């Protein structure tokens, strides 16, 4: 690409002459580099920017990213903050991924996107920004196993069970933690139930986390819970099943909601029944319980019908969460599977990536999650299609990471 074409392309997408304070690159400059200073040729911010550039263009492995960058080295050296004409090889990307702290990377990127969202919402009025509390944000707690499909046996390439707390509205991972070899999610869940993470949030989780201590801690830190009851709490599940299948004749609180969704040859009906009648009965063991509910999911597909019934408890009172809102919150919980875990595995091919050593898979998972949150922020409904657009117009991808996210539309 000659200079006239380069300048024309830069002008067309309005690349910034200087990087904006609200750019992804500026945020990445805060990540601490764990490498020895001697021999370091590329900064962490540059390496991660190149990784994200390749990923938004559809490259899913360090080797593919390195090749994508190398094929565009001439003009990338003109628009990126780099002092040399050469770019790193695939091994360099892997080495840098192992030399940083995954939790810090997630914190830096989450704070950056949160700051952009807050600035977008409040404009140039810092007083409004200061008065914004977390509100009743909905967060989903769920696990995923990294390296889960390839069956590696090496000591440094074992599976990585990961627990994540996911903001279902913003699409951001608030916290993630890898469990130890002989641990499970319950052994580390207390690290997620802190005042900073819980206050003002509705924490939804699957049946594994339906525990007395979980409910007590969440309500203690001024949060709310939304939990499913299954066989791990057999007594609770039996009590709820009996109540909803044989309700007392004098039951005064019986509220319902129903949704119908049709598409792709399938009809799905969800019906929720909620009540406060068991609050006094359950309150002695389940701190803060304010409603119990039953959800019936009926699916008609290919001429067949299947039905599933689940039960649960919540600390949200009827005045704060009607039956319709409870149904919406329960469905939103699955965004952590549908919009995060599924897209990481299928769209970004996370489990197929051969980066397996050290903490590198975890850092890549953080970058993948951030990329999806960034797409959500931009209002992208079809991520693979947008990746093809960025691959065809890579200057737009550069502008996305170096310019202000507030002006990228």
């Amino acid at each position: 690409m000659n200079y006239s074409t380069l300048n024309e392309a830069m002008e067309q997408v309005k690349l910034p002459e200087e990087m904006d304070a609200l750019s992804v690159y500026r945020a990445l400059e805060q990540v601490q580099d764990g490498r020895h200073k001697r021999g370091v040729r590329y900064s962490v911010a540059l390496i991660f920017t190149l990784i994200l550039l390749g990923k938004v263009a559809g490259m899913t492995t360090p080797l593919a990213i390195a090749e994508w960058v190398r094929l565009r080295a001439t003009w990338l050296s003109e628009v990126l903050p780099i002092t040399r004409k050469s770019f790193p090889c695939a091994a360099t990307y892997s080495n840098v991924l192992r030399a940083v702290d995954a939790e810090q990377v997630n914190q830096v990127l989450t704070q950056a996107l949160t700051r952009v969202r807050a600035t977008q919402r409040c404009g140039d009025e810092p007083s409004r920004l200061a008065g914004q509390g977390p509100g009743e944000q909905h967060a989903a707690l769920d696990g995923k196993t990294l390296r889960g499909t390839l069956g590696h046996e090496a000591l440094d390439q074992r599976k990585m069970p990961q627990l994540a707390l996911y903001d279902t509205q913003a699409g951001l991972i608030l916290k993630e933690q890898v469990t130890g070899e002989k641990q499970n999610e319950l052994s580390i869940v207390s690290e997620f139930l802190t005042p900073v993470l819980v206050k003002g949030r509705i924490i939804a989780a699957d049946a594994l986390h339906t525990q007395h201590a979980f409910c007590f801690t969440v309500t203690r830190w001024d949060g709310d819970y939304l939990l499913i009851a299954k066989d791990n709490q057999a007594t609770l599940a039996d009590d709820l099943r009996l109540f909803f299948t044989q309700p007392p004749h004098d039951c005064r609180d019986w509220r319902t909601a129903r949704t119908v969704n049709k598409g792709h040859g399938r009809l799905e009906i969800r019906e929720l029944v909620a009540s406060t009648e068991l609050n006094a009965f359950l309150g002695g063991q389940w701190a803060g319980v304010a409603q119990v509910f039953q959800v019936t999911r009926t699916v008609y597909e290919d001429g067949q019908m299947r039905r599933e019934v689940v039960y649960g408890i919540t600390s949200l009172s009827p005045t704060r969460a009607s039956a319709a809102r409870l149904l919406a919150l329960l469905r939103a919980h699955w965004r952590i599977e549908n919009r995060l875990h599924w897209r990481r595995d299928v769209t970004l091919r996370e489990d197929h990536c051969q980066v397996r050593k050290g903490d590198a898979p975890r850092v890549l998972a953080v970058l993948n999650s951030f990329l999806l949150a960034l797409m959500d922020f931009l209002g992208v409904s079809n991520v693979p299609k947008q990746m093809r657009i960025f691959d065809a117009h890579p200057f737009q991808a550069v502008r996305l990471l170096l310019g202000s996210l507030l002006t990228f539309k």
Side-chain angles (χ1 to χ4, degrees):
M1 180 179 289
N2 58 43
Y3 281 102
S4 60
T5 307
L6 174 66
N7 293 333
E8 182 180 345
M10 291 174 65
E11 178 62 27
Q12 182 180 358
V13 299
K14 298 180 180 179
L15 284 174
E17 294 183 3
E18 296 184 0
M19 280 172 291
D20 193 274
L22 292 177
S23 69
V24 175
Y25 188 95
R26 286 299 187 208
L28 290 170
E29 288 183 322
Q30 302 174 42
V31 177
Q32 296 179 1
D33 191 347
R35 296 172 293 172
H36 295 293
K37 293 183 179 180
R38 183 178 180 181
V40 171
R41 303 174 67 188
Y42 308 98
S43 69
V44 168
L46 178 64
I47 292 291
F48 279 12
T49 298
L50 293 174
I51 291 174
L52 289 173
L53 277 175
K55 282 186 172 292
V56 298
M59 307 300 111
T60 58
T61 66
L63 182 61
I65 292 169
E67 186 174 6
W68 187 90
V69 170
R70 179 178 59 80
L71 293 173
R72 295 156 180 80
T74 301
W75 64 265
L76 279 175
S77 63
E78 299 294 335
V79 298
L80 292 177
I82 187 171
T83 58
R84 58 183 74 244
K85 296 295 182 181
S86 62
F87 283 87
C89 64
T92 301
Y93 293 111
S94 299
N95 292 336
V96 174
L97 288 169
R98 293 197 298 269
V100 297
D101 180 72
E103 188 167 347
Q104 192 208 14
V105 175
N106 181 65
Q107 183 180 25
V108 164
L109 292 175
T110 298
Q111 289 178 348
L113 196 51
T114 301
R115 185 167 59 252
V116 172
R117 285 180 175 275
T119 304
Q120 183 184 56
R121 183 175 65 249
C122 301
D124 297 326
E125 302 180 43
S127 59
R128 290 182 58 197
L129 183 60
Q132 294 287 332
E136 280 194 340
Q137 299 175 345
H138 181 215
L141 185 68
D142 196 24
K144 179 185 187 299
T145 299
L146 306 178
R147 311 174 178 176
T149 62
L150 299 182
H152 288 282
E153 298 296 335
L155 292 177
D156 60 348
Q157 299 183 20
R158 291 178 176 173
K159 296 179 181 179
M160 276 190 176
Q162 180 188 58
L163 185 62
L165 186 64
Y166 176 75
D167 187 319
T168 60
Q169 281 83 35
L172 292 169
I173 288 187
L174 303 172
K175 180 178 175 60
E176 60 81 28
Q177 181 71 40
V178 172
T179 63
E181 181 181 355
K182 296 183 179 181
Q183 292 179 307
N184 57 30
E185 293 179 14
L186 291 178
S187 64
I188 64 169
V189 71
S190 60
E191 299 180 31
F192 291 75
L193 303 182
T194 63
V196 172
L197 292 174
V198 170
K199 186 174 182 178
R201 286 194 171 96
I202 302 167
I203 311 294
D206 59 24
L208 175 66
H209 298 287
T210 305
Q211 307 286 338
H212 299 140
F214 187 99
C215 297
F216 173 79
T217 305
V218 169
T219 53
R220 177 190 180 189
W221 300 132
D222 297 325
D224 287 286
Y225 57 80
L226 184 64
L227 300 170
I228 300 299
K230 289 188 178 179
D231 291 341
N232 64 315
Q233 292 291 346
T235 301
L236 174 63
D238 289 342
D239 289 339
L240 296 178
R241 187 179 299 109
L242 179 63
F243 172 78
F244 284 106
T245 55
Q246 301 179 34
H249 296 293
D250 60 347
C251 183
R252 293 169 295 178
D253 183 29
W254 193 264
R255 289 162 289 106
T256 63
R258 185 172 186 263
T259 61
V260 179
N261 298 97
K262 186 176 181 180
H264 306 288
R266 182 173 68 176
L267 176 66
E268 182 176 304
I269 302 172
R270 292 173 181 264
E271 300 171 289
L272 182 141
V273 180
S275 178
T276 59
E277 293 289 319
L278 288 185
N279 290 355
F281 177 72
L282 297 176
Q285 289 185 308
W286 301 96
V289 62
Q291 292 188 80
V292 297
F293 57 85
Q294 170 190 273
V295 180
T296 304
R297 177 174 173 264
T298 307
V299 178
Y300 298 91
E301 186 175 22
D302 297 330
Q304 297 183 343
M305 185 269 284
R306 62 180 184 272
R307 178 169 292 161
E308 177 188 21
V309 180
V310 297
Y311 304 93
I313 60 175
T314 180
S315 61
L316 293 166
S317 66
T319 57
R320 296 172 57 208
S322 63
R325 190 187 181 203
L326 285 179
L327 194 56
L329 288 171
L330 287 166
R331 189 162 190 181
H333 169 74
W334 293 107
R335 290 176 186 171
I336 191 171
E337 291 287 350
N338 301 330
R339 299 192 60 79
L340 181 66
H341 295 164
W342 189 88
R343 293 196 297 178
R344 273 166 50 179
D345 285 341
V346 177
T347 302
L348 301 178
R349 296 179 63 82
E350 184 171 280
D351 277 345
H352 293 270
C353 181
Q354 292 297 312
V355 175
R356 300 295 168 188
K357 291 189 176 182
D359 218 23
R362 187 179 170 194
V363 179
L364 273 179
V366 168
L367 295 179
N368 287 338
S369 299
F370 171 74
L371 176 58
L372 294 174
L374 195 57
M375 293 293 188
D376 289 341
F377 170 76
L378 298 176
V380 174
S381 58
N382 188 324
V383 174
K385 178 181 178 180
Q386 185 61 48
M387 286 178 166
R388 292 190 290 271
I389 293 174
F390 279 133
D391 189 33
H393 305 283
F395 280 99
Q396 293 283 1
V398 173
R399 178 185 162 222
L400 171 66
L401 300 179
L402 268 63
S404 172
L405 291 176
L406 290 174
T407 61
F408 189 92
K409 293 295 180 184

